[in-house]
Amino acid sequence: MRTAFISLSFLLAGSLMVPAIAHTPASKKKVATTTQKGKILPMKEYIDQLMAKMTLQEKIGQLNLMVAGDITTGGALNTQVGGDIAKGNMGGVFNIKGLDKIKALQDIAIKNSRLGIPLLVGMDVIHGYETMFPIPLALSCSWDTEAMKKVGEVSAKEASAAGINWTYSPMVDIALDARWGRISEGNGEDPYLSGVMGAALTQGYQGADMRTEEILRADRIMACLKHFALYGAVESGKEYNTVDMSRIRMMNQYLPPYEAVVKAGVGSVMSSFNLIDYTPATANHWMMTDVLRKQWGFKGFVVTDYASIAEILNHGTAKDLKEASEQALLAGTDMDMCSNAFVKHLEQSVAEGKVTEEDINTACRRILEAKYKLGLFSNPYRYCNAKRNKTDIYSAENRQIARDVAAETFVLLKNEGNLLPLKKQGKIALIGPLADTRNNIAGTWSVAQAPEKYTTIKEAMEKALDGKATLLYAQGSNIWRDRELQKNGEQGKSIAWGDEVKMKNEALQIAKEADVIVCAMGETADMSGECASRTNLEMPDVQQELLAELAKTGKPVVLLNFAGRPTVLSWEKEHIPAIMNVWFGGSEVGDALCDVIFGDKVPSGKLTTSMPKTTGQEPLYYNHQNTGRPVPDDNQKFAKFASNCLDVSNGPLYPFGYGLSYTTFEYGDLKLSSHEVNMDDWKITATINVKNTGSRDADEIVQLYIRDMVASISRPVKELKGFQRIHLAAGESREICFDITPEMLKFYNAELKHVIEPGDFQIMVGGNSKEVKTQNLTVKKHP
Ligand code: BGC
């Protein structure tokens, strides 16, 4: 291996030792900029030295990011990507699995390119690498920030052991419309929760605030906040659709989670596909520069989403790719993912004076800074550690963490007669198309998954029952009656296709023999995620028909609902005694489910999205405005000339924050340390007694909501402002305190100023957004 990075040829410059940098490609001498003690120079000096040696086209090359494609280790140089890297036309590659392949590309960058600048190597490590955690929406239902941090740490540990140094996560797009498939990739509908969870995940990935010069540990990777911004607001939940939103709404409801992740020190940001104020996000200067950099102080680099610069043409706001790339760069975009636009056109744009070399320097520097903080200039191979590659991926330790975290994400929606947990006895019938699939359980965006290593639900149950009970199994149904429809949601992760009647009969046969029926039904992994919008959120046809037949047997039925979004479970709520939303629980979901189903662990997940009664209610969210003619949720009668629908009452089937346990919790009265404060510097405490009134030790998620009763602009009926995940032993009670601070009462007013206005507020605490204890607080004007 070349050691050119610690070159011995120095020139003296001031007090620093500066390396001689060869200018001729023939000599292939690389940059090495070290101090007298052989340590790498401070970041600014290092990058100054390096950039002084770069040609304009080499600088532009750093702004280019491409998919690595299918390369072989021996033939990497002969591929398009390999050739581009050698020419210095590539700043990074992404979504490539395999240490050898990544090392082969890094080798080209180091040995074959003129300046030997190492590559960023990205991947959509969205909820784990090979050890897969539950999908992000499920993770958010844990309301467990420590768990989120762990998810980030383990994901980074595995990815960095496989050559990856950059992940395209966290995604904190607020999604209010469950028809949108990508609701599965975020933290649900609440801006505060989404920000807190996204920040924790970022800290886990990076282990450092990348606004500083700190070099990341070799088992940490750079995070990428996405999709900036407002992607979750696509009209009617249709993928890549138009977004149109007031600035007031952006500021109060959609932007806070991105800001929280920026403040957590995320190293990079990905621009979104959608329009913002009728300009594509990638070309939106106000969002990419004024808000992100000037207002929030973001210091890292902005990468586009996949081919977003090229898509500017389809949006109709640039006449050709050259103009689109100029717009993107000038807006504040630094790196071009897969449009090949910057490398093709920016040199010409500089020649024409459309952009300046200084604009390119700025973007290039930001990317080089990220490489510096990733330690790549000290050791370009620090993420290519063959030993770690063997020990750190899919290890027993990582899998145990994933199993524990998964158990926290299941949301128990209904448990009539305490049907769950099941006893390990008698005969259990396991039925459904998700019960014995290996490649679907990890969920959407599982780029590096290794399904051959995973245990299906059926296999896990057989192991858990260990001969104590008999497990009967039948697939029972396809996903959909229509083969094509099923394929749309499979995307290669196929579920065995069978004869509908035969499968149903087999299921009914074992149901007859069984004491209890457990159904593993719902969506496939890719019925949510990117480009997986649905217009009907009910259980797919054949599955619901089978479920109805099974319910008719009179045997107790437990429904494990697999879903990447809130689905409609109105029929199921009426007819099925026990329902648990299990989302997609990752590689260890089989064991995690058994832990909960058989009672070794107690479910504690709570919804982070409202679950609708019908699809037509979407977008549905708890923190809505009141309207001029409000009608309470679940009003029995339709109210003419009021804000409700003819055919379904207002409100969700299951509200935001909801989730049952195997125990019960009782909330005492809410107390405030003061009911009246003067504006400015104050802090009061809200206290509530929470008691575990059941017989199991368990976790509860205590939630704090606030409503601003009268303000200069209409404010939501309630907003989450805090939460605590607490553990209470059976019978134990505890005083839970929340500090209420002026910050919590602030909002962006019509002038987009972040203000607190005096007046009355309701402070609410409870176990979900609907059942709360309330007290009033008055903030008085200055006398
Ligand atoms: C998605 C991003 C993803 C990127 C790279 C895009 O299609 O929108 O979320 O990070 O591809 O794979």
Side-chain angles (χ1 to χ4, degrees):
M1 192 178 85
R2 282 178 69 106
T3 50
F5 263 73
I6 318 287
S7 162
L8 294 173
S9 48
F10 295 109
L11 286 176
L12 206 58
S15 61
L16 295 167
M17 299 298 283
V18 181
I21 295 164
H23 290 264
T24 50
S27 83
K28 303 252 175 62
K29 220 153 187 199
K30 303 300 186 291
V31 177
T33 316
T34 52
T35 63
Q36 264 162 328
K37 288 187 176 156
K39 279 196 167 171
I40 191 159
L41 284 177
M43 188 169 79
K44 176 149 186 333
E45 280 111 301
Y46 185 92
I47 293 173
D48 283 348
Q49 309 275 345
L50 178 54
M51 285 182 64
K53 306 299 165 195
M54 293 172 82
T55 64
L56 176 60
Q57 192 58 33
E58 279 169 337
K59 289 175 192 165
I60 295 170
Q62 287 301 305
L63 318 187
N64 192 29
L65 173 70
M66 293 299 285
V67 174
D70 200 15
I71 63 149
T72 53
T73 41
L77 190 55
N78 301 325
T79 60
Q80 175 73 38
V81 159
D84 284 341
I85 296 170
K87 275 188 234 141
N89 268 343
M90 199 74 76
V93 293
F94 73 104
N95 282 359
I96 172 169
K97 189 179 178 188
L99 190 67
D100 290 349
K101 293 179 185 178
I102 291 172
K103 186 162 175 299
L105 294 179
Q106 202 64 280
D107 269 345
I108 299 175
I110 304 311
K111 296 176 186 168
N112 299 83
S113 76
R114 191 177 76 92
L115 292 172
I117 300 173
L119 294 165
L120 289 175
V121 183
M123 185 184 266
D124 288 281
V125 181
I126 306 295
H127 50 110
Y129 185 76
E130 275 193 13
T131 301
M132 297 294 308
F133 292 89
I135 57 168
L137 181 62
L139 286 173
S140 70
C141 293
S142 72
W143 301 58
D144 187 341
T145 49
E146 282 309 307
M148 280 311 258
K149 224 169 142 189
K150 272 258 161 260
V151 171
E153 280 169 15
V154 171
S155 304
K157 189 174 180 187
E158 292 201 359
S160 63
I164 309 294
N165 48 45
W166 182 25
T167 177
Y168 305 135
S169 170
M171 188 277 221
V172 296
D173 304 337
I174 292 300
L176 310 182
D177 195 327
R179 291 173 294 181
W180 191 48
R182 302 197 84 168
I183 197 170
S184 58
E185 295 177 47
N187 299 314
E189 71 196 34
D190 185 76
Y192 171 73
L193 181 68
S194 188
V196 171
M197 298 302 257
L201 190 57
T202 303
Q203 282 153 3
Y205 287 136
Q206 298 185 166
D209 180 339
M210 288 190 72
R211 289 173 298 183
T212 70
E213 272 189 43
E214 189 180 335
I215 306 241
L216 265 53
R217 274 171 47 172
D219 60 354
R220 293 291 187 271
I221 58 179
M222 176 168 60
C224 183
L225 168 68
K226 69 186 192 187
H227 305 84
F228 192 63
L230 322 178
Y231 184 20
V234 285
E235 277 179 6
S236 70
K238 193 176 79 177
E239 189 59 294
Y240 315 126
N241 209 4
T242 301
V243 169
D244 182 7
M245 189 185 297
S246 71
R247 295 234 170 143
I248 290 186
R249 188 172 205 187
M250 289 182 204
M251 291 299 193
N252 285 310
Q253 199 174 0
Y254 280 79
L255 295 184
Y258 304 111
E259 184 178 359
V261 177
V262 168
K263 300 267 156 81
V266 74
S268 64
V269 168
M270 186 185 292
S271 63
S272 55
F273 287 127
N274 52 280
L275 298 177
I276 297 168
D277 294 339
Y278 291 85
T279 307
T282 300
N284 190 303
H285 185 274
W286 175 70
M287 194 59 96
M288 295 305 138
T289 298
D290 296 347
V291 175
L292 181 64
R293 293 190 185 278
K294 295 191 185 150
Q295 233 169 290
W296 298 347
F298 175 63
K299 299 260 184 288
F301 72 88
V302 173
V303 61
T304 73
D305 202 345
Y306 204 107
S308 290
I309 297 180
E311 288 176 16
I312 293 176
L313 305 189
N314 290 339
H315 286 295
T317 53
K319 64 177 184 304
D320 55 26
L321 196 60
K322 180 166 152 294
E323 190 180 37
S325 57
E326 288 159 6
Q327 288 179 359
L329 186 79
L330 293 176
T333 300
D334 304 300
M335 194 173 219
D336 166 6
M337 182 195 282
C338 293
S339 292
N340 249 318
F342 283 178
V343 271
K344 267 196 202 142
H345 298 294
L346 282 184
E347 199 165 15
Q348 178 66 19
S349 303
V350 173
E352 291 171 12
K354 298 272 172 45
V355 303
T356 64
E357 181 154 2
E358 212 25 60
D359 296 325
I360 287 162
N361 286 345
T362 304
C364 177
R365 180 177 292 277
R366 288 172 184 153
I367 288 155
L368 296 176
E369 283 178 354
K371 292 183 177 183
Y372 183 98
K373 291 174 196 174
L374 286 167
L376 288 168
F377 288 122
S378 311
N379 175 10
Y381 297 103
R382 81 195 286 248
Y383 296 95
C384 296
N385 182 327
K387 188 166 161 274
R388 281 193 55 218
N389 189 253
K390 291 211 177 71
T391 54
D392 286 8
I393 299 173
Y394 204 59
S395 64
E397 186 194 349
N398 296 352
R399 291 177 58 198
Q400 184 60 48
I401 295 170
R403 177 174 176 168
D404 292 340
V405 171
E408 288 189 358
T409 66
F410 308 138
V411 183
L412 183 62
L413 297 172
K414 183 180 174 188
N415 197 18
E416 204 172 274
N418 293 327
L419 178 53
L420 284 173
L422 299 180
K423 295 205 173 66
K424 290 181 182 172
Q425 65 182 35
K427 286 187 180 159
I428 300 172
L430 176 65
I431 296 172
L434 276 313
D436 199 24
T437 166
R438 213 176 296 285
N439 56 6
N440 269 267
I441 50 176
T444 186
W445 271 129
S446 310
V447 175
Q449 75 159 332
E452 67 286 355
K453 299 182 183 170
Y454 305 158
T455 309
T456 71
I457 311 298
K458 173 175 166 265
E459 290 164 351
M461 266 199 191
E462 272 160 358
K463 191 174 52 159
L465 292 174
D466 192 23
K468 295 189 188 94
T470 307
L471 187 72
L472 309 170
Y473 165 75
Q475 182 178 327
S477 78
N478 296 314
I479 295 290
W480 293 98
R481 174 157 292 130
D482 181 332
R483 181 79 189 95
E484 285 310 306
L485 208 48
Q486 177 156 332
K487 276 191 191 154
N488 290 348
E490 284 178 339
Q491 299 300 314
K493 297 176 191 158
S494 55
I495 300 267
W497 179 263
D499 178 79
E500 191 180 315
V501 177
K502 187 168 167 276
M503 283 198 295
K504 190 194 271 190
N505 287 340
E506 281 165 6
L508 290 173
Q509 185 55 42
I510 65 162
K512 251 191 249 159
E513 293 170 35
D515 303 305
V516 59
I517 301 167
V518 177
C519 292
M521 293 183 174
E523 298 189 314
T524 54
D526 286 318
M527 279 170 69
S528 64
E530 186 167 354
C531 195
S533 301
R534 292 179 66 192
T535 61
N536 180 346
L537 300 177
E538 288 174 20
M539 179 77 78
D541 45 24
V542 271
Q543 295 189 68
Q544 188 168 87
E545 286 163 26
L546 174 62
L547 196 55
E549 296 269 351
L550 294 172
K552 270 195 233 148
T553 63
K555 300 280 171 74
V557 177
V558 176
L559 170 62
L560 306 177
N561 188 46
F562 284 74
R565 51 156 63 79
T567 52
V568 170
L569 294 173
S570 295
W571 181 91
E572 289 78 1
K573 184 182 181 190
E574 218 171 292
H575 296 95
I576 306 295
I579 307 174
M580 190 153 71
N581 233 51
V582 300
W583 316 106
F584 288 91
S587 55
E588 312 312 306
V589 65
D591 290 335
L593 267 175
C594 290
D595 291 341
V596 173
I597 292 172
F598 299 114
D600 295 328
K601 289 183 182 156
V602 178
S604 57
K606 302 231 184 190
L607 295 174
T608 57
T609 48
S610 306
M611 289 192 71
K613 294 169 186 155
T614 67
T615 310
Q617 286 184 299
E618 294 294 328
L620 185 72
Y621 49 99
Y622 83 95
N623 46 355
H624 55 82
Q625 293 353 76
N626 200 32
T627 85
R629 297 182 181 190
V631 175
D633 286 358
D634 304 318
N635 211 33
Q636 290 303 303
K637 268 186 82 173
F638 168 67
K640 191 69 181 165
F641 302 118
S643 184
N644 60 170
C645 299
L646 291 169
D647 52 355
V648 64
S649 59
N650 283 350
L653 189 68
Y654 295 107
F656 177 88
Y658 176 86
L660 300 173
S661 168
Y662 292 159
T663 189
T664 42
F665 296 99
E666 198 179 272
Y667 283 72
D669 289 335
L670 179 65
K671 292 186 202 103
L672 296 189
S673 58
S674 169
H675 287 268
E676 233 179 60
V677 291
N678 287 317
M679 280 283 276
D680 288 343
D681 202 20
W682 54 267
K683 186 178 86 181
I684 63 160
T685 311
T687 310
I688 197 158
N689 193 276
V690 185
K691 181 168 189 202
N692 180 344
T693 46
S695 56
R696 295 290 307 263
D697 301 353
D699 286 5
E700 166 70 334
I701 297 154
V702 186
Q703 301 155 42
L704 166 74
Y705 297 89
I706 297 184
R707 177 174 185 180
D708 189 343
M709 302 307 288
V710 180
S712 57
I713 59 166
S714 175
R715 303 285 298 124
V717 294
K718 59 182 65 140
E719 292 176 296
L720 184 75
K721 293 291 177 181
F723 62 88
Q724 290 179 41
R725 199 186 153 99
I726 59 166
H727 184 80
L728 289 179
E732 186 186 350
S733 63
R734 195 178 310 154
E735 294 264 288
I736 303 299
C737 297
F738 288 98
D739 285 340
I740 314 286
T741 63
E743 200 55 32
M744 289 178 174
L745 309 187
K746 280 189 178 164
F747 63 97
Y748 287 91
N749 67 11
E751 283 83 48
L752 302 182
K753 296 225 166 69
H754 205 211
V755 296
I756 162 168
E757 292 179 358
D760 293 333
F761 296 83
Q762 281 183 344
I763 310 294
M764 296 163 264
V765 178
N768 64 64
S769 63
K770 214 165 176 180
E771 293 162 288
V772 289
K773 297 290 174 83
T774 305
Q775 285 292 343
N776 295 327
L777 170 70
T778 303
V779 177
K780 292 202 333 193
K781 258 199 213 125
H782 290 296

